[in-house]
Amino acid sequence: MKDYAEAVAFLGEWGCFQQTVFFLLCASIVPNGFGSFNLVFLTDTPSHHCVVPGINLTEDWRENIIPITVVNGKQELSSCSRYRLDVVRNLSAQGYIPGKDINLTDLEQEGCLDGWSYSKDIYQSTVVSHFDLVCSEQWKQPFTSTVFFVGVLFGSFFSGFLSDRYGRKPVLFATMATQTIFTFAQVFSTSWIVFVILLFINGLGQISNYVAALVLGAEVLTGNMRVLYSSLGTNLGFAIGYMILPLFAYFLRDWKSLLLALSVPCLTYIPLWWVLPESPRWLLSQGRVEEADAIVRKAAEWNKVQAPRVIFEDCSIKKTKSQKKHYTVLDLFRHSSIRSTTLLLCLVFFTLTAGYYSLSYNTSQLHADPYISCFISAVVEVPAYFSSWIALRYLPRRLSVIAALILGAVPLFLIQLLPEYLSSLSLVLEMLSKYSITTGFSLMFAYTTELYPTVIRNTATGMTTTVSRMGSCISPFLLSLSAYFKYLPYITLGTLGVVSAFAALFLPESFKRPLPETIQQMHERKRIKCPCITRDGTSAPVELLDGPV
């Protein structure tokens, strides 16, 4: 039987059919861009202090009833305490003047028994101000993000298996629906617990939608268009959503309005069900030759080319029996060669994901205006995605990933060597590191889809993505290490980068090689033949391993 790309070569690489699939799938990824980072605004903590009820106090006491604390060397109003109201009321009634007749540091303090007053300079309301996730409840704010990432982790794990079992298209639209419905439902949360439960379910569909769209496009498109889609197309779709987020958040400063604005437009994706096809590669792997044939013939009509009488020669004879087997995540560890590749990919992907989210959330604090800082963080990704596309088109995958890891790690080590007055140079180094890590992060999605055969491609992508999501879950804890030593997060991420770069040396290469269709082809592609001299002095081809076995 011919290779799939060879069998459908008569369609060309960039006809009407391929253009439609390319742009519609890229558009389906846009919600992932703002969905992955909307918590930056939803869970931001506005400036706040204790509410002072309308009791009879002099103006001097009303202005000084909130204690002054020192935070990072700056004096600020206390966020979680006030001077005892009964004491202040008595002192005010007796005519004592704060700071003159009374030393304020001698007064007893109490918590915010009447609630908090939140600044509306930046936000009208956030989840934090709505549910009072401050002071003794402050732990709920980072925990909210953790719940979301745990949902993403579970979604990545199960969606890969479901996609290989039931098809790319059903999982794509099911996860898009999950993402849309539960983002909308969060608006009506009656408590923080309800909000995080809905957020967890929302997370199940977030990256699952991205992975399903990535694999579907990578299997439908061929040649340079597949590389362009897997690297630049999908990532620019994500970046567009990321850049839209601060724009929406700037004009809609209420958390409920922002969620509505991010969810309702996604209803426009419903008609895509009747336009986007199922993956012909996946249909062939399941022995559903007639359905794959019908999709390709429809594509030929769209591209206005003549399809051959038989497109997938001998496929029904050789494929139907062997491909009825259903593969699970265990098949990624059953054979030593696949197991080694999976473990190495998990390590590299974990490092890049931890670095990507740590630097993304850290850069959001680099400017006083969160809208500007979020936009800058998003814009940096655009040149990174172009770099990953160029690397995927012209450079070996393994070399590109190693270079991205090293170039991402070195600036993180250099930051700690700079004096504090060169803060601008530190910012440049951190942006350089994010650029490199984002490039590598983008490369890994395309690299992973190229290494595994059709029958377990989505399972493998889901598995490696699941492990990588653990990196996003620990990123808030990595950033918190700065409380012990300012540069400890940078050192940790840099060390992980160097270790992963060494591990990547043992990954197989997939540059300029066709996508494998079966497990056997994945084994075979790891071996390259070279002429070597035998003991009798003659030349003979000998198999060398290209990657772990």
Side-chain angles (χ1 to χ4, degrees):
M1 175 191 168
K2 295 180 179 179
D3 174 76
Y4 173 82
E6 184 181 355
V8 300
F10 67 91
L11 291 175
E13 290 188 2
W14 195 235
C16 180
F17 173 75
Q18 289 93 339
Q19 293 171 18
T20 301
V21 171
F22 186 102
F23 290 112
L24 290 184
L25 285 177
C26 289
S28 74
I29 293 173
V30 171
N32 293 94
F34 49 69
S36 296
F37 295 101
N38 59 19
L39 290 176
V40 170
F41 301 105
L42 295 178
T43 62
D44 200 5
T45 304
S47 300
H48 56 280
H49 57 78
C50 296
V51 167
V52 180
I55 59 176
N56 187 21
L57 295 176
T58 63
E59 190 65 26
D60 288 334
W61 278 108
R62 188 168 292 278
E63 291 178 356
N64 289 275
I65 196 171
I66 306 297
I68 301 295
T69 60
V70 178
V71 179
N72 295 326
K74 298 180 180 179
Q75 290 188 341
E76 298 179 359
L77 293 177
S78 174
S79 300
C80 300
S81 63
R82 67 188 183 189
Y83 295 118
R84 284 186 55 177
L85 282 185
D86 55 345
V87 174
V88 170
R89 185 186 298 112
N90 291 332
L91 292 174
S92 177
Q94 296 176 28
Y96 288 104
I97 300 175
K100 182 177 180 181
D101 302 324
I102 298 295
N103 188 354
L104 293 176
T105 58
D106 295 333
L107 295 181
E108 186 178 352
Q109 299 181 14
E110 63 184 4
C112 299
L113 304 180
D114 298 294
W116 291 264
S117 175
Y118 296 93
S119 169
K120 294 189 177 181
D121 293 340
I122 299 177
Y123 308 104
Q124 288 299 309
S125 69
T126 67
V127 172
V128 172
S129 63
H130 187 81
F131 296 117
D132 289 330
L133 308 183
V134 294
C135 299
S136 62
E137 302 290 306
Q138 186 177 3
W139 63 271
K140 293 181 178 179
Q141 190 261 359
F143 184 74
T144 301
S145 301
T146 301
V147 169
F148 172 74
F149 285 122
V150 171
V152 172
L153 186 150
F154 276 94
S156 301
F157 181 79
F158 289 107
S159 66
F161 166 74
L162 293 174
S163 184
D164 281 335
R165 182 72 178 271
Y166 300 106
R168 309 337 189 185
K169 183 178 175 180
V171 171
L172 170 63
F173 282 89
T175 52
M176 288 174 63
T178 300
Q179 180 179 335
T180 302
I181 293 171
F182 286 94
T183 299
F184 180 79
Q186 287 174 254
V187 175
F188 305 98
S189 301
T190 56
S191 66
W192 174 76
I193 293 178
V194 173
F195 180 84
V196 295
I197 291 174
L198 295 175
L199 183 65
F200 173 82
I201 302 174
N202 181 11
L204 294 175
Q206 274 291 334
I207 198 63
S208 306
N209 165 26
Y210 183 96
V211 173
L214 174 68
V215 174
L216 177 57
E219 292 182 346
V220 171
L221 302 170
T222 58
N224 290 329
M225 290 304 106
R226 175 171 60 81
V227 174
L228 180 66
Y229 170 80
S230 299
S231 56
L232 192 59
T234 55
N235 291 317
L236 283 181
F238 183 90
I240 289 172
Y242 193 178
M243 289 186 285
I244 288 175
L245 172 63
L247 180 65
F248 277 32
Y250 179 80
F251 291 103
L252 302 171
R253 305 205 175 197
D254 174 74
W255 69 277
K256 292 186 176 182
S257 300
L258 179 59
L259 285 175
L260 284 174
L262 298 180
S263 59
V264 173
C266 294
L267 295 176
T268 58
Y269 291 118
I270 293 177
L272 300 189
W273 174 266
W274 292 275
V275 181
L276 289 172
E278 180 56 274
S279 166
R281 288 182 186 266
W282 179 82
L283 291 171
L284 290 174
S285 73
Q286 303 300 305
R288 296 159 61 176
V289 183
E290 293 182 358
E291 295 176 58
D293 186 272
I295 291 174
V296 175
R297 291 189 183 281
K298 183 178 179 181
E301 294 178 5
W302 284 30
N303 289 356
K304 297 180 180 180
V305 296
Q306 182 65 41
R309 186 176 61 85
V310 179
I311 299 177
F312 303 111
E313 185 178 359
D314 296 332
C315 185
S316 59
I317 298 175
K318 297 183 179 180
K319 286 276 186 181
T320 52
K321 291 183 179 180
S322 62
Q323 298 300 337
K324 284 184 178 179
K325 176 183 176 182
H326 294 298
Y327 292 87
T328 68
V329 68
L330 296 178
D331 291 286
L332 298 175
F333 302 94
R334 200 177 306 279
H335 303 284
S336 60
S337 59
I338 300 179
R339 179 170 60 249
S340 300
T341 298
T342 301
L343 293 175
L344 289 171
L345 284 174
C346 285
L347 173 61
V348 174
F349 227 148
F350 171 86
T351 298
L352 289 169
T353 304
Y356 174 75
Y357 281 96
S358 295
L359 294 178
S360 294
Y361 278 97
N362 192 48
T363 52
S364 67
Q365 307 300 322
L366 296 178
H367 194 280
D369 190 326
Y371 306 106
I372 293 178
S373 61
C374 182
F375 185 75
I376 292 173
S377 182
V379 169
V380 168
E381 299 193 2
V382 175
Y385 294 144
F386 274 96
S387 298
S388 70
W389 169 58
I390 294 173
L392 285 171
R393 186 165 184 179
Y394 300 107
L395 299 175
R397 311 295 190 243
R398 183 168 48 198
L399 175 63
S400 301
V401 170
I402 293 172
L405 287 165
I406 295 297
L407 292 177
V410 170
L412 297 179
F413 288 120
L414 294 178
I415 287 177
Q416 59 185 312
L417 303 179
L418 297 175
E420 291 188 7
Y421 65 85
L422 293 178
S423 57
S424 58
L425 184 55
S426 298
L427 175 61
V428 171
L429 288 175
E430 187 164 343
M431 289 294 97
L432 175 61
S433 179
K434 190 195 174 183
Y435 160 80
S436 301
I437 289 176
T438 302
T439 301
F441 186 64
S442 169
L443 288 169
M444 287 302 297
F445 284 101
Y447 192 14
T448 302
T449 60
E450 292 176 349
L451 289 178
Y452 291 93
T454 303
V455 290
I456 57 170
R457 182 171 294 121
N458 228 65
T459 299
T461 306
M463 173 64 188
T464 54
T465 305
T466 297
V467 175
S468 75
R469 291 300 135 183
M470 295 180 185
S472 61
C473 291
I474 70 166
S475 58
F477 300 99
L478 280 176
L479 294 176
S480 67
L481 293 176
S482 59
Y484 304 98
F485 178 57
K486 181 178 180 181
Y487 301 107
L488 190 54
Y490 296 130
I491 295 173
T492 303
L493 291 173
T495 303
L496 277 173
V498 173
V499 172
S500 298
F502 177 76
L505 286 170
F506 301 96
L507 284 170
E509 185 55 71
S510 62
F511 184 49
K512 292 186 177 180
R513 299 183 184 181
L515 293 180
E517 303 293 343
T518 65
I519 297 289
Q520 183 59 33
Q521 288 181 8
M522 184 176 180
H523 288 299
E524 292 175 353
R525 72 182 299 175
K526 289 175 173 297
R527 294 170 171 83
I528 57 175
K529 294 184 177 181
C530 70
C532 298
I533 304 300
T534 61
R535 290 183 178 180
D536 59 3
T538 60
S539 177
V542 176
E543 289 186 334
L544 296 179
L545 301 182
D546 180 25
V549 174

